[in-house]
Amino acid sequence: MANTATIEIDGKRFEFPLVKGSENEVAIDISKLRSSTNGIITIDPGFKNTGSCESAITFLDGEKGILRYRGYSIETLAEKVDFLEVAYLLIFGELPTKSQNDKFHADIIAESHVDEDIKKILDAFPKTAHPMGIMSSLTSALTAFNATSVNVDSEEDMYKSVVKLLGKLPVLLAWTLRKKQGLPLDYGDNSLGYVENLLKMMFSKPNSEYVQDQVLVDALDKLLILHADHEQNCSTSTVRIVGSSHAGLFASISAGISALWGPLHGGANQAVLEMLEDIQADGGDTKKYMAKAKDKNDPFRLMGFGHRVYKNFDPRAKIIKKAADQVLHDLGVNDPILEIAKALEKEALEDPYFVDRKLYPNVDFYSGIIYRAMGIPTDMFTVMFAVGRLPGWIAQWREMRLRKEPIGRPRQVYTGETERNYVPVEER
Ligand code: CMC
């Protein structure tokens, strides 16, 4: 393949270098387009054809259904390692040795608490507040309580901010849940593993000892791994672009949480369960909802189907579907919602509308079923996703800072009025 691409405008030819990735992905480097063409830019709504950065963290091939973190397949990681090892891998590029992992965990544990005054902010939220709004606000508030966390000029300072956030975000998640459930806050137990401690902080009761259930630990560990990174999606791009102004890590992650909240992104896991419940309440007629999803005059979409990048299948959905069957079996849960989900999946996979548009179940189609079986309320699902995505957001933010990427500042094509003369109010 050639090393350059040529663009011809008004008979004038401009050459631009091609950039090749390690998996032979090719991009046209148009960074000199505007200066060499006297102001011409590209336009690409939704960035469907635009690479915002070079990145060595996550590779995915949407056509082949491949997802790898730092070169390791998602299937291998979901089977062989735990969430904290995956976090280390994403952030620092290698799977940790035993001593690296122990130190990483110890450093996180040392930060697994938040300032008591955070409780006052938490208390000020109404019980009806959506947990993602609370999480985004509290994560942003962490900056105020950890002012030095924005100093990330050395790798050491950056590391301190990273372990702080990995330690504190699970506390915020658990407290957000407990506030909604009217339970006293739990401070966790530093002798436990990362996921075990998160479960204890979420589910312990004030009057009895919390007993770990290995089925829940394994299920949550797997779900967090599957959500840990997904290259330049909406929330990750948000984290990178907010971070590119040198706003601190916590502010950048708070913005990422807000981006994840939307039902077209992470909020889909909540939307899927609500959709399945609606179908169940409406008599379980999946065909009626399939017809609605295909009707262009109906805003209804089959939540949990389709993906911007995966046009074959979502490899995470495959793993999660198997895990959902296993978890429901192990917990002895017989959930009719799962039957509705299976019927919808079968009908969609055989329907030309979905087949032609390459719309397959995505990761969120099944994750909600597992969360529900674990006893997690529906409006907490996206918060679970956020804690899973945290290592990916951190890794991407860190990469952006270490590469000294410039501030993100896209251009636009202006389509508004040209210069107008002012008209006094009495003459309008
Ligand atoms: N139900 C019905 N039709 C759909 C759906 C759906 N879930 N998804 C896409 N389509 C149709 C869409 O109407 C369009 O049809 P046409 O070509 O006739 O106009 C075509 O498929 C292409 O859709 P698009 O909206 O242009 O595709 P996109 O790449 O912009 O959007 C998506 C991707 C994920 C936002 C979209 O598929 C969707 O809204 N899915 C439902 C929400 C969902 O499950 N989101 C979670 C994504 S996975 C978790 C994550 O990584 O955040």
Side-chain angles (χ1 to χ4, degrees):
M1 187 185 271
N3 290 322
T4 57
T6 307
I7 298 179
E8 194 174 314
I9 305 167
D10 273 347
K12 234 177 141 188
R13 290 159 74 88
F14 303 92
E15 284 218 339
F16 299 97
L18 293 182
V19 175
K20 287 192 190 125
S22 48
E23 291 282 352
N24 298 320
E25 291 172 303
V26 180
I28 305 168
D29 175 356
I30 54 149
S31 49
K32 300 269 184 313
L33 175 68
R34 194 169 168 276
S35 54
S36 55
T37 59
N38 206 12
I40 293 177
I41 58 169
T42 55
I43 187 155
D44 184 20
F47 310 122
K48 292 190 177 192
N49 306 279
T50 298
S52 59
C53 59
E54 292 180 30
S55 178
I57 300 169
T58 288
F59 171 70
L60 68 89
D61 182 329
E63 303 299 326
K64 295 193 185 129
I66 294 172
L67 172 61
R68 294 188 204 123
Y69 300 159
R70 301 280 189 185
Y72 296 100
S73 80
I74 191 67
E75 291 82 4
T76 304
L77 293 171
E79 199 191 318
K80 307 251 187 240
V81 294
D82 68 23
F83 177 61
L84 218 51
E85 288 173 284
V86 166
Y88 188 98
L89 171 71
L90 283 167
I91 297 168
F92 303 110
E94 298 294 338
L95 281 167
T97 61
K98 170 92 177 60
S99 63
Q100 285 170 331
N101 201 34
D102 289 348
K103 176 176 184 321
F104 187 46
H105 191 200
D107 292 340
I108 291 170
I109 285 172
E111 294 292 347
S112 294
H113 55 85
V114 297
D115 193 293
E116 281 292 289
D117 280 346
I118 292 263
K119 279 187 191 170
K120 294 184 193 152
I121 306 177
L122 183 66
D123 273 345
F125 282 99
K127 272 228 170 66
T128 50
H130 193 285
M132 284 298 273
I134 301 179
M135 281 298 282
S136 171
S137 307
L138 294 185
T139 306
S140 185
L142 281 181
T143 309
F145 293 94
N146 299 272
T148 54
S149 67
V150 289
N151 306 334
V152 289
D153 291 334
S154 71
E155 286 237 31
E156 201 192 332
D157 285 343
M158 202 176 266
Y159 180 80
K160 279 186 199 151
S161 292
V162 166
V163 291
K164 269 196 173 109
L165 198 54
L166 284 165
K168 297 181 195 310
L169 210 75
V171 180
L172 299 185
L173 177 152
W175 284 14
T176 299
L177 172 66
R178 298 180 79 87
K179 147 108 186 162
K180 286 196 76 83
Q181 298 190 325
L183 286 167
L185 305 183
D186 185 301
Y187 288 80
D189 176 348
N190 281 350
S191 70
L192 296 173
Y194 192 78
V195 172
E196 284 89 338
N197 195 31
L198 174 57
L199 284 168
K200 178 194 179 295
M201 287 193 290
M202 288 170 73
F203 292 123
S204 70
K205 294 282 166 348
N207 45 1
S208 57
E209 195 190 332
Y210 181 73
V211 181
Q212 294 287 340
D213 181 337
Q214 199 55 41
V215 176
L216 298 191
V217 175
D218 293 345
L220 185 54
D221 198 71
K222 194 166 278 184
L223 280 166
L224 296 178
I225 290 173
L226 294 180
H227 284 95
D229 194 44
H230 214 232
E231 51 117 302
Q232 307 313 317
N233 55 81
C234 178
S235 55
T236 301
S237 298
T238 301
V239 169
R240 281 184 92 125
I241 205 161
V242 172
S244 77
S245 75
H246 292 195
L249 173 62
F250 301 169
S252 307
I253 300 294
S254 162
I257 294 173
S258 295
L260 188 74
W261 189 356
L264 299 189
H265 190 16
N269 56 14
Q270 172 175 343
V272 168
L273 230 286
E274 286 167 353
M275 173 189 77
L276 295 174
E277 282 168 350
D278 286 349
I279 299 176
Q280 187 189 30
D282 194 22
D285 184 356
T286 50
K287 295 210 165 51
K288 176 174 159 188
Y289 284 85
M290 286 291 290
K292 274 165 74 65
K294 293 188 283 183
D295 180 356
K296 292 288 165 202
N297 296 317
D298 190 326
F300 176 78
R301 277 191 166 197
L302 206 52
M303 299 314 287
F305 268 77
H307 199 277
R308 170 61 60 79
V309 183
Y310 293 121
K311 301 300 176 193
N312 182 329
F313 62 85
D314 181 338
R316 302 167 300 172
K318 268 195 166 177
I319 301 171
I320 263 185
K321 184 182 175 185
K322 229 173 112 192
D325 281 336
Q326 188 67 44
V327 171
L328 263 61
H329 172 266
D330 292 350
L331 294 178
V333 175
N334 195 356
D335 193 344
I337 289 281
L338 186 63
E339 295 314 311
I340 294 176
K342 281 184 174 160
L344 274 181
E345 184 189 12
K346 185 169 181 301
E347 283 162 36
L349 292 178
E350 289 166 0
D351 190 305
Y353 174 96
F354 288 87
V355 175
D356 293 350
R357 289 171 179 74
K358 300 185 173 172
L359 301 171
Y360 293 87
N362 58 50
V363 66
D364 290 324
F365 193 64
Y366 282 101
S367 62
I369 291 169
I370 305 184
Y371 288 138
R372 186 171 134 112
M374 293 173 72
I376 299 173
T378 311
D379 63 0
M380 284 297 294
F381 291 180
T382 316
V383 183
M384 303 307 295
F385 187 159
V387 168
R389 184 56 54 90
L390 184 61
W393 285 334
I394 292 174
Q396 301 271 351
W397 169 87
R398 183 173 174 272
E399 180 181 73
M400 180 272 305
R401 289 299 305 256
L402 290 177
R403 290 186 178 193
K404 301 196 187 319
E405 286 180 10
I407 185 168
R409 203 302 186 187
R411 295 271 170 176
Q412 64 167 14
V413 175
Y414 176 69
T415 60
E417 298 286 346
T418 52
E419 190 175 14
R420 296 202 274 181
N421 290 325
Y422 171 74
V423 182
V425 68
E426 53 281 3
E427 292 170 33
R428 280 176 222 155

